[in-house]
Amino acid sequence: RKALIYTLTTFLLFLFISPALTTTGFDPKVFKKCHENDFCQNLRSGHVQSQSKYAMDTLSDFDTQTKRREILTFRLKSENANDKWQLSDSENDASADSFQYPNFLYDTLDVTVSLYYPNTFRIQIKEGENTHKSPVEHVLVAQALNKDELKWRNEKEHIEVHTLSDPNTKVLIHKNPFKVELLQNGEVSAVFNKDAFLYVDSSEVKKELQARVQEADKQQQQSEQQPGEGESQSPSPAASAALEKTGAFKHTTIHSTEIGGASSFDVFFPHAQHVYGIPERATDLSLKSTIGKEPYRLFNADVFRFELDNPMGLYGSIPFMFSLGKSAASAGVFALNPSNTFIDVDKSEGNHAPRGISTHWMHEAGLLDVFLIPGPTPKQVLQNYIQLTGKPMLPQLFSMAYHQCRWNYKDEQDVEQVDDKFDEHNIPYDVMWLDIEHTDGKKYFTWEKHDFPTPLKMQEQMKAKGRKMVTITDPHIKRESGYHVHDEAESKGYYVKDRNGKSFEGDCWPGKSSWLDFFSPEVRDWYASLFKFDRYTGSTDILYNWIDMNEPSVFNSPEITMPPDNLHHGGKTHREVHNMYGYFHGVAAHQGHLVRSNNKDRPFILTRSFFAGSQRYVAAWTGDNTATWDHLRKTPAMLMGVSLGGFPFIGSDVGGFFDNPDTEMLIRWYQSGAFYPFFRAHAHIETKRREVWLFGENPLALMREAIIRRYILLPYYYTLAFQASTTGLPIIRPLFMEYTNDDTVYEEQNQFLIGTDLMVVPVAEKEQKSASVYFPGKGSWYEWSDGSLVTKTGPVTHTVSTPLEYIPVYQRGGSIIPVKERVRRSSTQMRNDPFTLRIALSNKNDATGELYIDDGHSYKFRDGRFLVRQFRVTPDGSKSGKFTIANQEGNASGAEVNPDPSYRQTIQNEVERIVVSGVSRKPSKISLEKIDENATQSTESRIDLLVVLNFDYDAEKQKLIIRKPPVLIRDDWEIHVEA
């Protein structure tokens, strides 16, 4: 009966609240395309390029203050500022009735150029006298360098700027025509304004647009007040055109507070073969040319049943892109603007033969603020971007394990039964999730009293097994008197306002709702207080948070989001900051978990919407995917795309959110999904139950095996998460990130790397019997499942069989991967388990690896309470086959502090096995040499223990297994393998 009620409720919401939200499929008419956005159509038309000719007017004197952080401030003057141009009313007919816009361009633009560590250049262009503060500054964690840290030279035709420490990376600011070149080692890798697309709406354009829309509003009001013979009087042609051309869409009215302010710029990558980035979207990893097609869009939206290979944006936006070309330096561009944005990619060889890619960025509103980011490798571009927007958070260990979710587990009995079934079938999992139905009438921070009467008891039962729970808190608040969250928010004025200054009201899951204005620090502080245990009744320290629908989703509003003329804190219209709403929701929820734990516990927040910088606060997933083979196949490209935007903790709904996967598809999705950085199964309320034990004994065994594989690899994943938190490098990454000089892999998205050492080849076709696997690099690769050698040298392509029980996974020769092989109920119960080291020797008989350990949940690592171990295999230099396996203190490079030696003594984990693949002959002797950590290298007393070890050797697989060496993972030791 309850399931029927849920289904009927959902159906009514879909049917009556939002025609766009139907389970039948994606409706492209709901979302605007370029020609339906006035600013995009106009900026893309070519008028800007033909008339936007700027030259440097004056160069300001340097400020004598030592703390001056702007390198240069100068003024650009337009050559065509007084020209007139025509804005066509028709997408296809330039001769149709048109408006004539005077003073199309500002005659002057004020430009500021700044330099950020290590060599990133920022170009800010102010709109005349407009110097208002913007919430985008919250995204940046870096400050511009002081002028005494750089050098500049003013030449006749250009100005040269670089840091004192690196004169090989510089910018040349050309005076006439104005453009900025980024040079790396003497080669131009990016050019700002090469194609003269630089444009900012002038104040005259804004006044003209506002006047026309005000006229349209006036006539519309008159027609509503004075209907004639049953029909409303139509607005005048000029007013109707004004509404359409200034951004009106379908049945909505656009008001004078929300027009004008568009801007554009271009960046050219002269040696690029490919460009990547600008997530989130369900397209190929390498961005395609959009000339003659729809451009890419950055506009956070609730895209129901999103469509594959559509250039529209999805739930999150990261306006960061970088280039890649063989034997050429990579460079990046970051556009710090959260408004509706379209981006053209031009790979036309006729324009820039023989190589090169042009990109044209078009913003609806906000300031023009662009960063040119050097490499020279994709890794270094990404790391330099992270220097600007902040290092990713270090997640809790449990959050990297397996999560079980659906919309919705019906009640406490349902939760208990599912939890028990995992134990019955010996399947580990860490987190049980509850969707919106757990609340009292979709009122967040509450519990449904009949179905979840004892939430504290339910959570205590989870905690006893080392497990956690997650509940959902969306940003829309039900407008119901007596609901404490609404009453407080309304009385304090904490809701987003409509254009008249009243609390905006719209429809979402609860029905009539209002949306919290997270742009206000005061609202964020208040929202954070709602997570306190005494305010969120029924919550405990194992309850974490899921923030959904925060694009924001408004069911009864155009493009399923709030109107662009809504007002936020500081007087900002929603159109100026749309893509940051979810960002600040994440900031507020993150703050709430810090408040409730007194800054002791690392928050775990999962968001659907995000922006640049969100990686500091939240994890994310790719939203409402569908149970199809095409979606399974496209998922790695989506995950890598977001990861390349500096957001490493990303996942996708395993099994597909919509529809019902067949057994084969579900098995394949678990096999692949077990390698996603965030690993969660989730499903729509209308789908059949799909817990893994419901499909028969053999499918259960295969899906259990996939989940257990993830738990075995948790030490490796947690180490990668630590590395991501210190370097920004992704957990899941494309092959080109490690094999940059191999242009064979530049478009590869059906294989991916986990860190540097594991390569995964998902099986994503129905009844697929084999897969073609490309092994990059010049070294060896080993089968992960049994350690056998696959290839001695690369690059090479093999065809491998893919029976249902098998997913191709390979370990790179020259790597050491730490794992834990004992199966427990949860990651918490694995804490003291012993480690196994999986070693894959290179062709030179060497290998390296790393392990990071801390308490898995707190911020004590910031005080040095962590351990980094470095593993190394070193050959003796002869051809005898002798080598040494060493464990020593690792490099904590990038960490805020050095490890505290006292913490090392608390780690008691043993080493259970050492498995070495690629050993060509059976050893004659293996001995352990334990190092006295208090002794010096020069003394004999450094040998604290010397024992001979037992081992097994498999000659066919060339695999050596050393069992139970009497050592701890924390200690320094050496194992000598003699031929």
Side-chain angles (χ1 to χ4, degrees):
R1 187 179 65 209
K2 292 173 184 174
L4 178 60
I5 292 173
Y6 294 153
T7 301
L8 287 174
T9 301
T10 304
F11 174 75
L12 290 172
L13 281 167
F14 290 161
L15 185 61
F16 296 113
I17 292 181
S18 177
L21 298 181
T22 66
T23 55
T24 57
F26 169 76
D27 183 0
K29 296 189 295 297
V30 171
F31 301 100
K32 287 182 174 184
K33 294 185 174 172
C34 178
H35 72 270
E36 294 166 312
N37 282 267
D38 164 64
F39 79 96
C40 182
Q41 181 178 341
N42 298 334
L43 293 174
R44 203 185 191 207
S45 66
H47 291 292
V48 172
Q49 189 178 25
S50 64
Q51 300 198 28
S52 178
K53 305 293 185 182
Y54 281 104
M56 191 177 295
D57 186 12
T58 61
L59 179 65
S60 66
D61 295 330
F62 275 96
D63 194 309
T64 58
Q65 299 179 44
T66 57
K67 295 299 183 182
R68 178 76 175 181
R69 294 188 182 275
E70 294 85 3
I71 300 172
L72 299 170
T73 300
F74 52 88
R75 179 158 290 178
L76 297 179
K77 185 174 179 61
S78 170
E79 299 175 3
N80 304 299
N82 295 318
D83 289 353
K84 295 183 178 180
W85 71 299
Q86 291 189 337
L87 175 62
S88 171
D89 287 340
S90 171
E91 177 190 0
N92 300 314
D93 184 5
S95 65
D97 292 339
S98 58
F99 304 138
Q100 197 171 58
Y101 279 19
N103 298 319
F104 167 57
L105 299 168
Y106 273 107
D107 59 349
T108 62
L109 292 175
D110 291 326
V111 182
T112 297
V113 178
S114 306
L115 180 59
Y116 287 71
Y117 177 85
N119 278 303
T120 295
F121 294 86
R122 185 181 193 181
I123 304 166
Q124 294 171 283
I125 297 182
K126 301 177 181 177
E127 308 172 15
E129 301 300 321
N130 190 347
T131 58
H132 60 277
K133 295 290 185 181
S134 172
V136 298
E137 293 297 328
H138 196 281
V139 169
L140 300 177
V141 299
Q143 281 191 320
L145 298 174
N146 295 322
K147 69 174 186 178
D148 55 3
E149 298 175 276
L150 55 94
K151 183 176 181 179
W152 71 283
R153 186 170 68 248
N154 188 2
E155 301 287 352
K156 181 179 179 180
E157 296 183 353
H158 66 262
I159 301 168
E160 178 182 311
V161 185
H162 61 80
T163 63
L164 293 175
S165 60
D166 184 10
N168 294 320
T169 302
K170 64 184 71 174
V171 291
L172 298 183
I173 306 170
H174 294 268
K175 298 179 180 179
N176 190 9
F178 170 69
K179 66 179 180 180
V180 181
E181 293 181 325
L182 173 64
L183 281 75
Q184 301 183 69
N185 295 316
E187 181 180 80
V188 178
S189 54
V191 187
F192 176 86
N193 202 41
K194 177 186 181 298
D195 295 327
F197 275 114
L198 176 60
Y199 168 75
V200 179
D201 264 352
S202 73
S203 57
E204 293 299 321
V205 168
K206 294 178 186 178
K207 291 177 182 178
E208 181 79 10
L209 294 173
Q210 289 170 357
R212 293 184 185 278
V213 173
Q214 286 169 350
E215 171 67 15
D217 274 350
K218 181 179 178 180
Q219 293 198 30
Q220 184 177 17
Q221 291 171 4
Q222 290 176 348
S223 69
E224 291 172 353
Q225 294 171 1
Q226 300 175 0
E229 297 184 4
E231 293 185 2
S232 297
Q233 179 182 344
S234 299
S236 68
S240 297
L243 284 171
E244 175 66 21
K245 303 305 292 185
T246 54
F249 185 61
K250 308 302 181 193
H251 48 276
T252 187
T253 300
I254 302 298
H255 300 281
S256 58
T257 57
E258 54 161 300
I259 58 174
S263 62
S264 73
F265 68 93
D266 64 90
V267 173
F268 173 57
F269 301 102
H271 302 287
Q273 297 169 258
H274 299 273
V275 287
Y276 309 89
I278 54 170
E280 178 191 25
R281 65 197 72 256
T283 60
D284 289 341
L285 188 61
S286 174
L287 300 175
K288 306 304 181 186
S289 181
T290 61
I291 302 306
K293 305 174 184 177
E294 184 68 14
Y296 292 106
R297 191 185 188 193
L298 290 172
F299 184 79
N300 294 355
D302 181 2
V303 188
F304 194 79
R305 281 184 180 267
F306 61 80
E307 186 177 61
L308 301 182
D309 300 314
N310 189 320
M312 69 178 293
L314 295 180
Y315 312 93
S317 294
I318 301 178
F320 166 65
M321 174 193 291
F322 66 89
S323 66
L324 177 60
K326 190 171 184 179
S327 302
S330 291
V333 55
F334 171 43
L336 188 50
N337 186 309
S339 74
N340 184 17
T341 297
F342 286 87
I343 303 161
D344 261 325
V345 175
D346 184 358
K347 294 184 174 182
S348 306
E349 289 193 357
N351 292 350
H352 308 288
R355 292 184 298 178
I357 298 175
S358 288
T359 63
H360 178 200
W361 302 62
M362 297 159 280
H363 302 305
E364 183 176 7
L367 297 180
L368 202 155
D369 194 350
V370 181
F371 294 80
L372 297 180
I373 306 174
T377 67
K379 275 187 177 182
Q380 288 167 306
V381 175
L382 180 55
Q383 289 178 297
N384 290 341
Y385 164 78
I386 289 296
Q387 292 286 343
L388 295 173
T389 61
K391 296 176 180 178
M393 63 170 185
L394 177 61
Q396 290 202 43
L397 176 61
F398 84 82
S399 66
M400 305 202 76
Y402 176 60
H403 301 245
Q404 183 67 31
C405 182
R406 76 171 279 111
W407 177 22
N408 201 90
Y409 286 114
K410 298 177 292 185
D411 51 32
E412 290 181 358
Q413 183 180 7
D414 193 11
V415 169
E416 183 177 2
Q417 289 175 346
V418 172
D419 181 66
D420 288 342
K421 281 291 185 181
F422 273 94
D423 297 334
E424 177 184 334
H425 294 289
N426 295 315
I427 306 170
Y429 92 103
D430 267 63
V431 192
M432 175 68 72
W433 291 58
L434 297 178
D435 211 320
I436 55 177
E437 311 302 338
H438 86 279
T439 63
D440 178 13
K442 313 296 190 301
K443 298 193 291 286
Y444 304 111
F445 300 99
T446 69
W447 301 84
E448 211 288 323
K449 294 181 177 59
H450 298 288
D451 295 333
F452 295 91
T454 58
L456 293 176
K457 178 182 177 182
M458 176 176 63
Q459 291 168 71
E460 286 302 319
Q461 291 173 339
M462 290 285 178
K463 187 174 184 178
K465 299 178 182 181
R467 291 172 179 152
K468 322 289 183 185
M469 293 199 77
V470 167
T471 53
I472 195 166
T473 55
D474 291 347
H476 49 263
I477 304 301
K478 186 174 186 178
R479 296 190 63 84
E480 180 179 293
S481 179
Y483 172 31
H484 69 286
V485 177
H486 166 66
D487 290 345
E488 289 183 41
E490 183 76 351
S491 65
K492 295 176 183 291
Y494 286 165
Y495 286 134
V496 176
K497 305 299 188 289
D498 64 21
R499 69 187 183 101
N500 298 313
K502 298 180 180 179
S503 295
F504 168 69
E505 297 184 20
D507 289 326
C508 207
W509 295 127
K512 192 62 66 179
S513 305
S514 289
W515 278 256
L516 295 170
D517 186 4
F518 296 112
F519 289 87
S520 165
E522 183 179 342
V523 173
R524 295 199 297 270
D525 289 344
W526 170 80
Y527 186 76
S529 73
L530 298 177
F531 290 90
K532 291 181 177 180
F533 299 125
D534 60 347
R535 300 211 66 192
Y536 187 179
T537 303
S539 66
T540 72
D541 60 356
I542 67 151
L543 188 67
Y544 293 89
N545 198 221
W546 175 15
I547 53 177
D548 196 0
M549 313 296 287
N550 52 353
E551 293 75 27
S553 177
V554 183
F555 290 167
N556 61 333
S557 185
E559 299 204 87
I560 321 179
T561 194
M562 64 175 55
D565 62 346
N566 275 6
L567 297 172
H568 292 284
H569 172 76
K572 291 292 184 184
T573 59
H574 185 71
R575 71 190 289 265
E576 295 176 270
V577 295
H578 169 81
N579 288 339
M580 284 191 72
Y581 186 85
Y583 169 92
F584 278 115
H585 189 195
V587 172
H590 181 95
Q591 181 180 339
H593 281 253
L594 292 178
V595 166
R596 78 169 193 180
S597 71
N598 196 24
N599 295 310
K600 294 179 181 179
D601 207 31
R602 286 176 245 163
F604 171 67
I605 312 292
L606 183 76
T607 186
R608 191 168 70 175
S609 185
F610 52 85
F611 189 68
S614 290
Q615 71 272 5
R616 307 199 303 266
Y617 307 103
V618 292
W621 92 108
T622 60
D624 298 344
N625 61 351
T626 304
T628 68
W629 289 100
D630 287 341
H631 272 258
L632 172 58
R633 186 166 51 255
K634 187 69 73 173
T635 297
M638 295 182 68
L639 301 180
M640 288 187 283
V642 176
S643 295
L644 293 177
F647 201 122
F649 200 13
I650 180 72
S652 187
D653 288 345
V654 170
F657 180 65
F658 288 110
D659 297 344
N660 299 298
D662 62 30
T663 302
E664 180 191 4
M665 183 189 300
L666 191 61
I667 291 170
R668 291 304 194 187
W669 217 314
Y670 267 94
Q671 290 172 341
S672 179
F675 291 95
Y676 301 165
F678 172 62
F679 179 27
R680 181 185 75 156
H682 186 37
H684 190 274
I685 194 171
E686 295 176 358
T687 62
K688 298 176 182 178
R689 294 292 286 258
R690 61 170 79 151
E691 287 78 19
V692 297
W693 48 83
L694 299 176
F695 296 84
E697 185 174 341
N698 187 59
L700 166 62
L702 296 181
M703 288 185 277
R704 179 202 294 122
E705 180 183 9
I707 295 170
I708 289 174
R709 185 183 294 119
R710 174 54 168 255
Y711 278 80
I712 289 172
L713 282 165
L714 272 181
Y716 181 59
Y717 270 78
Y718 196 56
T719 300
L720 291 176
F722 164 71
Q723 293 170 354
S725 74
T726 57
T727 67
L729 295 179
I731 295 169
I732 183 173
R733 59 187 73 170
L735 272 61
F736 71 72
M737 184 158 276
E738 300 300 327
Y739 303 94
T740 305
N741 293 325
D742 182 358
D743 57 2
T744 305
V745 301
Y746 288 0
E747 295 184 87
E748 178 57 63
Q749 59 188 37
N750 296 321
Q751 301 176 205
F752 58 83
L753 296 172
I754 298 299
T756 60
D757 300 336
L758 279 183
M759 183 171 69
V760 182
V761 186
V763 181
E765 301 283 351
K766 186 174 180 61
E767 298 179 353
Q768 182 177 335
K769 303 302 182 183
S770 64
S772 178
V773 181
Y774 181 76
F775 294 92
K778 297 181 180 180
S780 53
W781 288 90
Y782 296 83
E783 170 65 48
W784 174 253
S785 61
D786 63 6
S788 59
L789 180 67
V790 177
T791 181
K792 190 74 171 177
T793 59
V796 65
T797 299
H798 286 184
T799 298
V800 300
S801 297
T802 55
L804 187 57
E805 65 273 12
Y806 176 73
I807 177 174
V809 182
Y810 306 98
Q811 183 176 359
R812 180 183 61 84
S815 65
I816 303 176
I817 296 179
V819 298
K820 288 185 175 181
E821 296 183 330
R822 297 187 183 181
V823 179
R824 307 289 188 182
R825 287 178 169 179
S826 64
S827 63
T828 303
Q829 297 187 344
M830 297 170 62
R831 171 141 188 91
N832 296 317
D833 282 353
F835 287 91
T836 290
L837 300 183
R838 293 280 301 267
I839 301 175
L841 294 179
S842 74
N843 294 335
K844 298 179 180 179
N845 270 13
D846 60 8
T848 60
E850 187 173 276
L851 172 65
Y852 173 81
I853 302 175
D854 63 15
D855 65 15
H857 69 90
S858 79
Y859 283 107
K860 290 181 180 179
F861 68 90
R862 292 179 174 174
D863 300 321
R865 305 288 289 175
F866 68 92
L867 183 67
V868 179
R869 302 304 296 171
Q870 184 76 41
F871 310 114
R872 186 175 301 276
V873 174
T874 308
D876 71 349
S878 68
K879 296 183 179 180
S880 63
K882 294 181 181 180
F883 57 88
T884 297
I885 306 169
N887 178 15
Q888 59 193 25
E889 186 173 353
N891 183 5
S893 176
E896 297 177 3
V897 296
N898 291 321
D900 181 349
S902 65
Y903 178 73
R904 176 176 170 179
Q905 301 306 313
T906 68
I907 304 301
Q908 300 296 319
N909 303 77
E910 298 175 344
V911 176
E912 186 171 42
R913 295 195 308 163
I914 300 174
V915 181
V916 189
S917 296
V919 180
S920 59
R921 65 186 73 177
K922 182 177 181 179
S924 60
K925 178 183 177 182
I926 299 179
S927 59
L928 167 68
E929 183 179 316
K930 187 177 178 183
I931 311 301
D932 184 348
E933 61 190 47
N934 297 314
T936 65
Q937 290 289 324
S938 59
T939 63
E940 291 295 330
S941 61
R942 67 185 292 267
I943 301 177
D944 183 57
L945 177 69
L946 184 62
V947 297
V948 176
L949 301 177
N950 295 321
F951 62 89
D952 296 323
Y953 179 72
D954 186 328
E956 181 180 354
K957 294 181 180 179
Q958 296 190 340
K959 184 167 67 175
L960 170 68
I961 301 177
I962 304 171
R963 302 186 186 278
K964 295 188 177 180
V967 292
L968 301 179
I969 199 70
R970 75 181 191 197
D971 292 335
D972 293 351
W973 42 261
E974 294 179 356
I975 292 176
H976 303 285
V977 179
E978 301 181 27

